[in-house]
């Protein structure tokens, strides 16, 4: 009971930013001393920070704006996306996590037929919605600043009801212990995605390796394959207890020499001018000809 209560308390802190000892004691009908012990245990694990009469979330590093993420390591992300599109067959059902690399995967899947896609990323959803032969589900929720993803308890519950062939997951950081994320508000959603898929594919360019972010999302036992680029050496890859596929960015996939400035970039409802736009990644050529 104590473990379940602490999990629920953590969820409340993540939603509201603060919880009070007195209110928690009333809600769970236990002594305030029991709640204080729960909070002390959680603080020792780095999940919360104790404050006078309650607890708050640890200070989080600032989320890197999407406009910055989408312009970094473009050639590597496109090569990763093409390989993932080759792995996923026509007719698959898949969950697509939020992020600039997973957006590239959505673009690379354009040639696929009869897919079912569930995503909490508005940009991924907009990309998939423009593809004809796709059944699309978007769980509702609040849009998280800077990342264009949706989060809510109801959305997490909805994800848990699905059973899909693949989950395509992004990562803020990858170290030898597993996958970590900067934003704690996304933890419940990402873990629900991991649990709903037969196979989990993590897409992360080589710059994400050897670092640790705030919250651990998954161990390597939860992951079937990581697709990255050759910036991660073969020797470094061998230190990770999971299958890693390293891909080489092709010269044709190098980013264009110039990018549109914010005032020049086209605007749509889901594509603000702050996000540089590049050429669309083609779908899997081999799959498209079948």
């Amino acid at each position: 009971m104590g473990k379940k209560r602490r999990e629920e308390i953590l969820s409340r802190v993540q939603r509201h930013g603060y919880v009070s000892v007195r209110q928690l004691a009333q809600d769970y009908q236990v002594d305030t001393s029991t709640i204080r012990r729960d909070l002390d245990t959680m603080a020792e694990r780095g999940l919360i920070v104790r404050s006078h009469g309650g607890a708050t979330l640890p200070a989080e590093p600032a989320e890197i704006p999407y406009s910055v993420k989408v312009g970094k390591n473009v050639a590597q992300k496109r090569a990763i996306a093409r390989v993932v599109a080759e792995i996923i067959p026509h007719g698959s059902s898949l969950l697509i996590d939020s992020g600039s690399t997973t957006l590239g995967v959505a673009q690379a899947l354009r040639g696929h037929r009869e897919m079912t896609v569930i995503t909490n990323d508005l940009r991924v959803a907009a990309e998939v919605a423009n593809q004809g032969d796709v059944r699309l589900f978007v769980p509702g929720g609040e849009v998280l600043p800077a990342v264009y993803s949706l989060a809510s308890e109801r959305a997490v519950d909805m994800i848990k009801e699905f059973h899909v062939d693949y989950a395509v997951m992004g990562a803020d950081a990858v170290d030898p212990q597993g996958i970590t994320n900067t934003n704690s508000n996304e933890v419940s959603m990402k873990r629900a995605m991991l649990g709903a898929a037969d196979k989990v594919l993590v897409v992360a360019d080589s710059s994400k390796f050897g670092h640790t972010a705030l919250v651990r999302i998954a161990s390597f036992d939860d992951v079937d394959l990581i697709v990255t680029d050759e910036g991660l050496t073969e020797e470094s890859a061998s230190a990770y207890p999971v299958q890693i596929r390293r891909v080489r960015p092709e010269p044709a996939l190098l980013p264009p020499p110039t990018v549109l400035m914010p005032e020049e970039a086209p605007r749509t409802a889901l594509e603000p001018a702050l996000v540089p736009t590049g050429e669309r990644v083609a779908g899997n050529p081999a799959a498209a000809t079948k």
Side-chain angles (χ1 to χ4, degrees):
M1 178 62 188
K3 180 180 179 182
K4 181 180 179 182
R5 183 174 59 244
R6 288 191 291 273
E7 289 176 350
E8 292 176 356
I9 290 172
L10 178 59
S11 177
R12 290 173 69 160
V13 180
Q14 290 172 343
R15 289 199 310 273
H16 304 295
Y18 173 81
V19 292
S20 74
V21 170
R22 180 176 298 178
Q23 185 63 53
L24 290 172
Q26 291 177 358
D27 291 346
Y28 289 103
Q29 298 183 345
V30 296
D31 293 337
T32 55
S33 59
T34 300
I35 295 298
R36 289 192 183 95
R37 285 194 297 271
D38 284 339
L39 297 181
D40 289 342
T41 298
M42 295 164 68
E44 289 172 3
R45 297 176 182 174
L47 299 174
I48 61 168
V49 174
R50 290 285 274 115
S51 63
H52 180 70
T56 62
L57 283 176
E60 297 187 1
E63 183 75 46
I64 299 174
Y66 199 99
S67 56
V68 175
K69 287 183 179 180
V70 79
K72 293 180 65 177
N73 303 316
V74 175
Q76 291 85 348
K77 291 175 181 177
R78 289 180 178 175
I80 291 167
R82 286 177 185 269
V83 167
V84 173
E86 292 171 0
I87 292 172
I88 296 174
H90 293 281
S92 296
S93 57
L94 57 151
L95 282 152
I96 302 182
D97 189 18
S98 62
S100 56
T101 311
T102 53
L103 174 61
V105 173
Q107 293 169 342
L109 287 167
R110 271 192 161 268
H112 282 51
R113 300 188 300 273
E114 298 180 355
M115 287 196 308
T116 299
V117 174
I118 305 111
T119 185
N120 69 320
D121 186 298
L122 291 178
R123 295 182 182 278
V124 170
E127 175 64 37
V128 172
N130 290 326
Q131 302 178 23
D133 200 10
V134 177
R135 189 180 185 192
L136 173 64
F137 293 87
V138 182
E142 180 180 358
V143 179
L144 299 178
V147 293
Y148 295 94
S149 61
L150 298 163
S152 71
E153 287 187 57
R154 184 175 298 177
V156 171
D157 291 339
M158 178 181 175
I159 293 297
K160 289 178 179 179
E161 294 178 359
F162 285 103
H163 176 207
V164 300
D165 300 318
Y166 296 91
V168 181
M169 307 296 299
D172 286 341
V174 184
D175 67 14
Q177 281 70 53
I179 312 298
T180 52
N181 197 67
T182 301
N183 193 334
S184 63
N185 291 323
E186 298 180 294
V187 172
S188 298
M189 175 65 75
K190 290 177 182 290
R191 289 177 178 168
M193 288 182 170
L194 290 168
D198 286 337
K199 293 185 178 180
V200 174
L201 311 178
V202 172
V203 292
D205 68 76
S206 57
S207 69
K208 305 292 181 65
F209 284 78
H211 307 289
T212 305
L214 177 66
V215 186
R216 191 160 302 282
I217 300 296
S219 71
F220 292 121
D221 291 338
D222 302 314
V223 177
D224 294 284
L225 174 67
I226 298 178
V227 183
T228 187
D229 61 86
E230 289 186 343
L232 180 72
T233 66
E234 186 174 353
E235 180 181 3
S236 296
S238 65
Y240 294 84
V242 65
Q243 184 181 358
I244 296 179
R245 182 167 175 180
R246 299 159 53 247
V247 301
R248 177 178 298 175
E250 302 171 17
L253 295 180
L254 291 175
T258 58
V259 226
L260 293 175
M261 295 301 290
E263 63 270 16
E264 300 170 323
R267 293 176 180 267
T268 69
L270 294 177
E271 187 121 56
L274 287 176
V275 182
T277 57
E279 61 177 298
R280 189 177 302 283
V281 179
N284 177 6
T289 57
K290 291 182 180 179

